[in-house]
Amino acid sequence: MVFRLIRPAPLTEQKRSRDGCIYLYRAMKFIGWLPPKAGVLRYVYLTWTLMTFVWFTTYLPLGFLGSYMTQIKSFSPGEFLTSLQVCINAYGSSVKVAITYSMLWRLIKAKDLLDQLDLRCTTMEEREKIHLVVARSNHAFLIFTFVYCGYAGSTYLSSVLSGRPPWQLYNPFIDWHDGTLNLWMASTLEYIVMSGAVLQDQLSDTYPLIYTLILRAHLDMLRERIRRLRTDETMSEAESYEELVKCVMDHKLILRYCSIIKPVISGTIFTQFLLIGLVLGLTLINVFFFSDIWTGIASFMFVITILLQTFPFCYTCNLIMEDCESLTHSLFQSNWVDASRRYKTTLLYFLQNVQQPIVFIAGGIFQISMASNISVAKFAFSVITITRQMNIADKFKTD
């Protein structure tokens, strides 16, 4: 079956939370981020890793700069904006890739904590939730893959069929003006470089969503365990107390999981927050004032990729805060009134801790939420407003 992991596996199969990262880590392995631990193959693989960083992370942003320095006069306004919007995003992407790769050990360590959380998932209902979140996480990565590849492919085809390279990167070896063959060769090389950079960018954009989707599943299962506290009449008071202690330990493990992934998420989302308004603004200006039907389609795909970089994750952060509030309500409304003094003391301690919501901060400045995302995205309309008031689009067309 094609894309088998996007469908919930039957309960006869044993699935773990880390299986929700399978597609993500396969892509990391392909792009050169997960070398073998030892042997000759490790050094061969590290050579591939170096090549991907040279071409996809370093050459791409510098290629844009080189083209502006050598052939800026040959750009039409639409071509320049198409190039500029991707250029700015490419520099941001390189920063995000560097942050993600340098802190990849945190994401790997977080998977080990998920294995510990899975040890508590013993009921059929909990196993079913694990299977569902595994399918949902892999499905999300696949959707991102189709959208990101769709952008690269649509820009490549629309530009070549219009008689120009898609991004006009600096290429001192092939002059695309010298015939159709050179045009296709230069464009194909650009497409290969951009596809690698797009995959790297996708990895930096999808891991926050995948890891927080799995986090929400474990918060939901913890909430259900709290609701079941002291509802089984066959359990003694001591056994009920042990179940409460296990819930406290589960919550501590969840907080450890969050503390491990927060520094990675903080850097990548902060970088994206700095760029999203400007990039969206330039893209919309291009669509409204300079695009034809083909470049309009490519720009539309680019807008979708920019929105996907932050909006799904920010929405998930809002849901996590709601999950934490629901966790507090479930604990307070559990059956504790006639419990022992020791049970009530532990529950009070637990209640004080769960009242602190799990919040992700971008760069130590912005709380990551839909409100902050919309605030930074609004800058796009400011860019459009400035362009219209100063008649910049008309001046570009006249020049």
Side-chain angles (χ1 to χ4, degrees):
M1 183 185 295
V2 181
F3 303 129
R4 180 175 57 87
L5 292 175
I6 68 173
R7 298 174 179 85
L11 295 179
T12 53
E13 295 184 23
Q14 189 67 33
K15 289 292 182 181
R16 299 180 296 173
S17 297
R18 64 163 56 220
D19 292 336
C21 306
I22 287 179
Y23 284 168
L24 174 69
Y25 277 81
R26 283 179 183 174
M28 286 183 179
K29 190 171 184 179
F30 173 76
I31 207 67
W33 288 14
L34 298 172
K37 294 183 178 180
V40 178
L41 287 179
R42 174 177 174 83
Y43 297 100
V44 176
Y45 187 91
L46 289 175
T47 304
W48 165 243
T49 303
L50 179 63
M51 288 179 60
T52 60
F53 273 96
V54 168
W55 286 101
F56 306 152
T57 313
T58 306
Y59 166 70
L60 181 65
L62 293 180
F64 282 111
L65 185 61
S67 67
Y68 299 154
M69 295 174 64
T70 57
Q71 51 187 353
I72 186 67
K73 293 182 179 180
S74 65
F75 281 91
S76 69
E79 292 171 352
F80 177 68
L81 285 176
T82 300
S83 174
L84 183 62
Q85 69 197 25
V86 183
C87 172
I88 296 172
N89 197 61
Y91 277 91
S93 174
S94 295
V95 174
K96 291 190 297 181
V97 167
I99 293 171
T100 306
Y101 183 74
S102 63
M103 297 189 183
L104 188 57
W105 64 271
R106 289 182 173 273
L107 302 182
I108 296 172
K109 188 175 180 181
K111 291 201 299 180
D112 296 332
L113 292 180
L114 289 177
D115 291 340
Q116 296 181 44
L117 286 168
D118 285 348
L119 296 177
R120 288 273 283 148
C121 302
T122 55
T123 66
M124 295 297 289
E125 291 80 4
E126 290 175 337
R127 287 187 57 212
E128 184 177 5
K129 288 179 180 179
I130 293 294
H131 286 216
L132 286 173
V133 76
V134 166
R136 188 178 296 120
S137 300
N138 285 301
H139 199 176
F141 184 84
L142 201 61
I143 291 173
F144 272 73
T145 302
F146 286 144
V147 173
Y148 279 48
C149 291
Y151 156 70
S154 61
T155 304
Y156 168 66
L157 291 176
S158 63
S159 298
V160 174
L161 294 177
S162 299
R164 62 181 186 277
W167 298 280
Q168 300 195 36
L169 300 176
Y170 176 68
N171 187 340
F173 304 106
I174 302 176
D175 185 359
W176 65 271
H177 298 89
D178 294 341
T180 305
L181 179 61
N182 277 15
L183 171 64
W184 278 96
M185 289 174 59
S187 299
T188 303
L189 286 174
E190 286 188 12
Y191 175 68
I192 293 172
V193 172
M194 182 59 71
S195 295
V198 163
L199 179 56
Q200 287 184 334
D201 195 34
Q202 180 188 342
L203 295 176
S204 299
D205 294 335
T206 51
Y207 82 83
L209 179 62
I210 290 174
Y211 274 78
T212 48
L213 285 175
I214 298 173
L215 169 63
R216 288 200 65 217
H218 282 282
L219 285 172
D220 182 44
M221 288 184 283
L222 177 58
R223 182 171 60 246
E224 291 302 319
R225 292 181 201 130
I226 289 174
R227 285 174 180 169
R228 292 196 300 265
L229 288 173
R230 300 188 77 248
T231 57
D232 188 352
E233 296 180 356
T234 62
M235 295 179 65
S236 65
E237 187 65 24
E239 291 173 331
S240 297
Y241 177 76
E242 288 300 321
E243 287 298 315
L244 175 62
V245 171
K246 288 179 181 178
C247 289
V248 174
M249 299 307 295
D250 290 341
H251 186 253
K252 283 187 174 182
L253 204 54
I254 287 173
L255 294 181
R256 281 182 58 198
Y257 171 82
C258 294
S259 66
I260 287 177
I261 64 175
K262 277 182 178 180
V264 201
I265 292 175
S266 174
T268 53
I269 297 299
F270 179 70
T271 304
Q272 192 57 39
F273 272 1
L274 293 178
L275 299 177
I276 181 174
L278 179 60
V279 174
L280 273 178
L282 292 173
T283 306
L284 293 176
I285 290 171
N286 192 15
V287 171
F288 292 152
F289 299 107
F290 301 107
S291 290
D292 55 27
I293 181 63
W294 297 111
T295 55
I297 292 174
S299 296
F300 177 73
M301 293 297 296
F302 185 67
V303 169
I304 295 177
T305 62
I306 293 298
L307 295 179
L308 279 178
Q309 288 178 340
T310 53
F311 270 88
F313 174 64
C314 289
Y315 179 66
T316 305
C317 287
N318 276 43
L319 295 179
I320 289 173
M321 287 186 279
E322 293 176 5
D323 291 338
C324 292
E325 185 178 355
S326 178
L327 199 66
T328 303
H329 293 161
S330 298
L331 182 59
F332 183 75
Q333 294 169 2
S334 63
N335 185 22
W336 58 268
V337 177
D338 57 344
S340 65
R341 181 182 180 85
R342 182 177 66 162
Y343 185 97
K344 290 180 180 179
T345 303
T346 305
L347 183 136
L348 182 60
Y349 162 79
F350 192 18
L351 187 60
Q352 290 175 334
N353 281 277
V354 297
Q355 284 178 326
Q356 302 297 323
I358 296 173
V359 177
F360 293 89
I361 306 295
I365 301 174
F366 306 108
Q367 178 178 315
I368 303 176
S369 64
M370 285 298 293
S372 58
N373 196 12
I374 292 172
S375 297
V376 295
K378 282 181 179 178
F379 183 66
F381 298 99
S382 301
V383 174
I384 296 175
T385 302
I386 293 172
T387 302
R388 298 191 66 173
Q389 289 180 347
M390 298 182 66
N391 294 322
I392 294 176
D394 293 335
K395 292 178 182 178
F396 261 121
K397 291 178 181 178
T398 303
D399 294 340

